[in-house]
């Protein structure tokens, strides 16, 4: 079957991944209202295309925090890539480097920071951090990321506790015995993803902890999970370099806003003082153009990256990114 659009990869992944894995990747919180709204909100936005503009030459490159990427689509942090493909995050890193874009590696990777770095030397990578109750373990992760050549630290702010994902509860989701959360090996007794694992997260984290993070590293800090103007203001005040407007793919608080709707409010509040990115619901190149038109500097894709991996590993993920790149370029041209 010819893979023409991202939904082709979604259909493939749904058909061929084990049901428990598919349910885990696809899960939203509660009734999945926010997960689905992330996609539907894009469909309600319309272009005002302009005609007879010279679109014979188009430059789709951009810079994020000073690093150039080939087009404004990066890979969002998602956990457990080995569930989708045996080489896991190593394949993800190689695909991102081949497409010359940014990959945000998750704390909950099934390959270690060092393995990810070694798999794609020279690639642009940021590291996504959860702050655990064991602060020493979190501090060590930050230092390891910096040592391994990661160029940004992405603090996820929307997970003091895990949202209720009904299918995961029904399925009793846990990592298969041969897989480990490699970055946390040795830091905790529990490195198999058991239901109790997220209880290691620190729910007492506040804005003040950004100062603590800044004392540990020279890396720029990007905060992920912002959905309101009030929090955008606080993020700027606390000296972060970037904001990812995100609702965790609809996996945390259900009934929150779609990210593309929240983007407008955040961009307005920030007024160019820090870079603003968005994830959640991006399925077509035209979605990327809509996000940029509404003020995002770059978008990040989560589930579609996993579908690409499930299809053909590194090659499949490159296919997904290439389709988005081609669709984005075409949308730009047709919109003038």
């Amino acid at each position: 079957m010819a893979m023409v659009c991202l939904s082709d990869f979604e259909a493939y992944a749904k058909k061929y991944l084990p049901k428990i894995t598919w349910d885990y990747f696809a899960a939203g919180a509660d009734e999945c209202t926010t997960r689905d709204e992330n996609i539907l909100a894009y469909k309600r936005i319309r272009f005002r295309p302009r005609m007879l503009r010279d679109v014979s030459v188009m430059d789709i490159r951009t810079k994020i925090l000073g690093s150039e990427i080939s087009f404004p689509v990066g890979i969002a942090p998602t956990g457990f890539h080995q569930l989708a493909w045996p080489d896991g995050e190593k394949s993800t890193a190689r695909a991102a480097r081949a497409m010359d874009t940014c990959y945000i590696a998750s704390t909950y990777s099934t390959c270690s920071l060092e393995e990810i770095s070694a798999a794609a030397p020279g690639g642009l990578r940021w590291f996504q951090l959860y702050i655990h109750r064991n602060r020493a373990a979190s501090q060590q992760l930050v230092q390891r990321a910096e040592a391994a050549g990661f160029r940004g630290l992405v603090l996820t702010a929307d997970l003091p506790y895990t949202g209720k994902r009904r299918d995961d509860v029904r399925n009793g989701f846990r990592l298969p015995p041969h897989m480990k959360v490699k970055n946390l090996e040795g830091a905790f007794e529990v490195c198999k993803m058991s239901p109790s694992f997220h209880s290691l997260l620190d729910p007492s984290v506040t804005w003040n902890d950004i100062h603590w993070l800044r004392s540990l590293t020279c890396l720029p800090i990007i905060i992920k999970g912002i959905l309101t103007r009030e929090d955008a203001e606080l993020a700027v005040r606390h000296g972060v370099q970037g904001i990812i407007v995100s609702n965790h793919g609809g996996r945390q608080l259900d009934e929150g806003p779609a990210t593309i709707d929240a983007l407008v409010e955040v961009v307005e509040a920030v007024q160019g003082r820090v870079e603003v990115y968005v994830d959640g619901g991006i399925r077509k190149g035209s979605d990327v153009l809509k996000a940029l038109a509404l003020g995002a500097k770059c978008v990040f894709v989560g589930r579609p990256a996993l579908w690409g991996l499930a299809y053909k590993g590194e090659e499949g993920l490159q296919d997904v990114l290439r389709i988005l790149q081609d669709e984005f370029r075409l949308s730009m041209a047709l919109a003038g």
Side-chain angles (χ1 to χ4, degrees):
M1 169 173 136
M3 304 305 250
V4 174
C5 59
L6 266 56
S7 51
D8 291 342
F9 292 87
E10 181 179 17
Y12 180 95
K14 186 171 185 179
K15 184 174 177 184
Y16 291 104
L17 285 173
K19 183 181 184 298
I20 286 190
T21 297
W22 169 261
D23 286 350
Y24 174 74
F25 288 153
D30 300 316
E31 294 178 328
C32 301
T33 306
T34 297
R35 179 198 68 181
D36 297 342
E37 187 62 20
N38 273 351
I39 294 170
L40 294 170
Y42 276 98
K43 297 182 190 296
R44 288 194 288 270
I45 297 167
R46 294 288 174 267
F47 293 110
R48 295 181 67 246
R50 301 293 306 278
M51 300 303 141
L52 300 176
R53 322 265 284 187
D54 181 356
V55 292
S56 57
V57 177
M58 282 180 293
D59 185 355
I60 61 170
R61 292 172 302 172
T62 191
K63 281 185 176 174
I64 52 173
L65 298 185
S67 297
E68 189 177 283
I69 52 177
S70 63
F71 72 125
V73 177
I75 299 170
T78 49
F80 315 146
H81 290 194
Q82 280 184 0
L83 289 173
W85 188 256
D87 251 6
E89 290 82 4
K90 291 187 277 192
S91 292
T92 312
R94 286 192 286 257
R97 185 188 59 185
M99 292 301 292
D100 196 13
T101 192
C102 179
Y103 162 40
I104 307 176
S106 169
T107 289
Y108 293 146
S109 294
T110 42
C111 301
S112 71
L113 282 163
E114 292 79 8
E115 288 171 329
I116 292 167
S117 187
L124 174 61
R125 282 180 299 278
W126 293 350
F127 178 65
Q128 175 272 330
L129 179 74
Y130 289 119
I131 296 179
H132 293 86
R133 293 173 197 264
N134 178 346
R135 289 294 174 103
S138 296
Q139 179 172 343
Q140 204 179 29
L141 277 176
V142 171
Q143 289 158 347
R144 281 172 60 194
E146 194 165 353
F150 285 75
R151 288 190 248 167
L153 192 64
V154 178
L155 175 66
T156 294
D158 60 5
L159 207 134
Y161 300 96
T162 310
K164 183 178 177 184
R165 303 163 199 166
R166 295 175 183 178
D167 283 341
D168 288 349
V169 178
R170 290 187 184 108
N171 294 334
F173 173 79
R174 59 196 302 137
L175 275 186
H178 64 284
M179 284 182 208
K180 291 189 172 71
V181 183
K182 291 294 279 284
N183 289 322
L184 301 179
E185 271 192 298
F188 306 102
E189 283 109 67
V190 205
C191 277
K192 299 269 190 291
M193 186 71 185
S194 72
S196 66
F197 193 86
H198 279 107
S199 66
L200 300 167
L201 295 169
D202 187 350
S204 74
V205 173
T206 69
W207 291 100
N208 294 331
D209 290 297
I210 290 175
H211 298 301
W212 171 70
L213 276 182
R214 286 171 68 196
S215 75
L216 302 180
T217 180
C218 301
L219 294 177
I221 294 170
I222 302 103
I223 192 159
K224 175 180 181 288
I226 301 299
L227 293 165
T228 62
R229 76 166 54 81
E230 294 87 344
D231 281 345
E233 283 285 358
L234 282 165
V236 174
R237 210 178 305 155
H238 284 82
V240 305
Q241 280 75 47
I243 289 172
I244 302 179
V245 177
S246 175
N247 54 31
H248 219 101
R251 294 163 77 82
Q252 283 300 101
L253 176 68
D254 204 15
E255 315 283 338
T259 49
I260 192 66
D261 292 338
L263 174 68
V264 180
E265 181 177 319
V266 170
V267 166
E268 208 170 273
V270 162
Q271 296 188 322
R273 289 173 291 174
V274 302
E275 293 186 2
V276 179
Y277 322 109
V278 65
D279 67 21
I282 292 124
R283 299 293 181 265
K284 306 185 297 292
S286 57
D287 295 339
V288 181
L289 184 57
K290 287 173 183 179
L292 265 58
L294 293 172
K297 185 88 165 103
C298 174
V299 309
F300 289 91
V301 294
R303 291 183 182 94
L306 295 165
W307 304 336
L309 285 179
Y311 175 60
K312 238 184 235 179
E314 176 190 342
E315 194 185 324
L317 177 45
Q318 279 189 59
D319 290 344
V320 163
L321 292 170
R322 207 170 285 115
I323 286 170
L324 277 174
Q325 190 177 52
D326 292 344
E327 289 178 350
F328 172 61
R329 190 185 278 110
L330 183 60
S331 299
M332 266 179 70
L334 297 180

